[in-house]
Amino acid sequence: MTQKTVGYVELEWTCTYCGTRNPGTQKKCSGCGAMMSEEDEFEAPVQQELITDEAKLARAKRGMPDIHCPYCGTRNVAGSEKCKHCGGDLTGAVEREKGRVVGAYRAGPVPDVPCPYCATPNPANATKCKKCGGVLQKPTETPPAKPAAKPTAAPKPRSRVAGLAIGAVGVLLSICAVAYFVLGLRTTDTPAVVQSVMWERSIAIMEERPVTHEDWEDQIPAGAVIGSCSKEYRRTQSEPAPGAEEVCGTPYTIDQGDGTGKVVQDCEYRIYDNKCEYTVNEWTVVDKAVAQGNDPNPQWPRMSLQSGQREGTQAEEYVVTFRADDGDETYTYHVNSADEFSRFGVGSYWTLKVNTFGNVTDAEPAR
Ligand SMILES: [Zn+2]
Ligand SMILES: [Zn+2]
Ligand SMILES: [Zn+2]
């Protein structure tokens, strides 16, 4: 998150003795002459206007919190050596608090507020009625927006009924899974005879062929032929970058401790980059050489590679078909290796382990 400065505003403070609201940079109450104390806090005025006066702006930009005289409490400008009120030594004087968020920054005009004594409309920032001189209270504010940058949608709470239903389905599914597993494990010994055997061996034939992919421009491998590109959203980062889209939150005001507020907003930067199609030559399966047989001696297919071709992955499959001793039922059994496969001579007798689903899980020579 980058904190961007929008500008500076004058804050205000309310006199604890007479209730008069005073401009933040003013240290003495304009209503009763009381000094602003260390306990009095700066607040955001109802009407906030960015400071344009150059001298005031320069001071606000320094952002140095005022200090309170340890002897008489008078507010003094940061860096003062002696209290302007009592002349006391200000070394080691306490600085005012700084950095507190005083609220959202409200730009634009605020409606006039009627005087509680004579009903004359007065500007929202006015502290005294322009007609009768009555003290005007600060108008009740709309709740200040939090300086949150990103509105995040809260996940909707799932209804209780839906939750229960999902829970029930989950339980049922687990019961099914366990049942399936248990049934799959239970086997019956079934005497059977080998009826036929089948093997198949294959080798992939590969060639370098152009293949098209898509990736960010800076991720494309060297030597690729780049096709069409388009700008696409890639990521969000906290630091600005050329060409990035700036996304900022609601501006808010921070107490600087000197009667002014710094208006800031938190910003993020959406980066858009080129995504491109590119073509590279890659070894690609273009064909397959296959050998098959119904004998116990599997062979690899004879290869006749053309120039620019090479062998790819090999695959082998061995299937034994049994017929049950006591009926017409047949079972197919997949064997992993040629060695094992060679044991299944056609006409030989075996004891099969057949599970509930009718699948052969193991085979042993019949005793
Ligand atoms: Zn006062
Ligand atoms: Zn003093
Ligand atoms: Zn009035």
Side-chain angles (χ1 to χ4, degrees):
M1 217 57 96
T2 295
Q3 198 178 66
K4 262 184 72 174
T5 304
V6 177
Y8 298 86
V9 291
E10 176 141 20
L11 300 178
E12 65 179 25
W13 59 277
T14 305
C15 174
T16 40
Y17 302 103
C18 71
T20 301
R21 279 175 287 136
N22 298 285
T25 51
Q26 189 178 307
K27 297 175 176 65
K28 213 183 231 179
C29 174
S30 44
C32 69
M35 288 290 186
M36 185 195 188
S37 81
E38 215 177 314
E39 284 74 39
D40 295 331
E41 285 200 329
F42 290 118
E43 294 173 330
V46 181
Q47 175 85 62
Q48 298 184 32
E49 272 164 22
L50 294 181
I51 296 172
T52 48
D53 177 81
E54 273 185 39
K56 257 189 169 177
L57 192 59
R59 238 198 91 197
K61 277 183 180 168
R62 279 203 321 159
M64 303 269 283
D66 288 347
I67 49 177
H68 283 272
C69 170
Y71 308 104
C72 72
T74 299
R75 219 178 112 194
N76 285 273
V77 176
S80 310
E81 286 171 9
K82 279 183 176 157
C83 174
K84 65 174 182 200
H85 183 68
C86 70
D89 183 10
L90 291 178
T91 17
V94 182
E95 280 186 359
R96 285 197 63 88
E97 185 202 0
K98 174 185 177 158
R100 188 174 53 95
V101 174
V102 294
Y105 167 68
R106 285 177 301 272
V110 174
D112 282 357
V113 179
C115 166
Y117 310 106
C118 70
T120 305
N122 286 277
N125 264 13
T127 57
K128 274 182 180 161
C129 174
K130 63 188 173 191
K131 194 171 173 209
C132 72
V135 172
L136 299 172
Q137 296 303 311
K138 190 174 185 179
T140 43
E141 295 177 45
T142 47
K146 278 219 186 98
K150 244 195 290 180
T152 43
K156 262 195 196 151
R158 216 192 269 139
S159 85
R160 216 175 131 229
V161 174
L164 283 176
I166 287 170
V169 169
V171 168
L172 268 178
L173 280 178
S174 1
I175 290 172
C176 289
V178 170
Y180 188 87
F181 185 69
V182 170
L183 289 176
L185 280 182
R186 210 166 59 196
T187 59
T188 317
D189 283 359
T190 308
V193 62
V194 175
Q195 193 177 42
S196 63
V197 292
M198 194 280 287
W199 57 265
E200 183 179 303
R201 282 179 167 183
S202 66
I203 301 172
I205 298 170
M206 305 188 79
E207 244 177 61
E208 274 203 299
R209 292 258 175 107
V211 180
T212 300
H213 299 281
E214 195 188 50
D215 209 340
W216 300 108
E217 201 170 15
D218 56 13
Q219 300 294 312
I220 293 173
V225 179
I226 298 179
S228 66
C229 299
S230 59
K231 284 258 187 246
E232 281 182 34
Y233 168 74
R234 188 166 184 182
R235 63 172 196 278
T236 297
Q237 64 179 43
S238 50
E239 292 77 37
E245 182 195 352
E246 189 179 62
V247 183
C248 297
T250 314
Y252 56 98
T253 306
I254 295 171
D255 182 0
Q256 298 206 101
D258 63 351
T260 65
K262 188 184 190 181
V263 181
V264 297
Q265 60 188 155
D266 295 326
C267 303
E268 293 183 322
Y269 299 86
R270 289 170 62 83
I271 308 289
Y272 290 82
D273 273 345
N274 260 343
K275 199 169 223 187
C276 305
E277 283 189 343
Y278 67 93
T279 305
V280 278
N281 281 337
E282 277 177 10
W283 285 100
T284 311
V285 175
V286 292
D287 203 357
K288 197 164 83 163
V290 182
Q292 284 175 325
N294 296 102
D295 55 84
N297 303 305
Q299 308 291 320
W300 287 105
R302 210 167 280 147
M303 302 294 285
S304 53
L305 293 175
Q306 290 164 21
S307 73
Q309 290 187 333
R310 74 176 190 199
E311 284 186 18
T313 46
Q314 300 181 338
E316 49 200 311
E317 192 186 7
Y318 307 104
V319 184
V320 181
T321 305
F322 293 96
R323 198 188 67 242
D325 257 3
D326 59 351
D328 296 331
E329 191 109 26
T330 57
Y331 300 98
T332 50
Y333 184 45
H334 287 257
V335 180
N336 290 324
S337 70
D339 260 7
E340 202 189 341
F341 179 67
S342 64
R343 297 165 62 210
F344 293 91
V346 172
S348 60
Y349 285 87
W350 297 75
T351 304
L352 307 181
K353 304 268 184 213
V354 179
N355 72 9
T356 321
F357 305 109
N359 297 322
V360 179
T361 59
D362 199 10
E364 278 170 20
R367 276 169 295 185

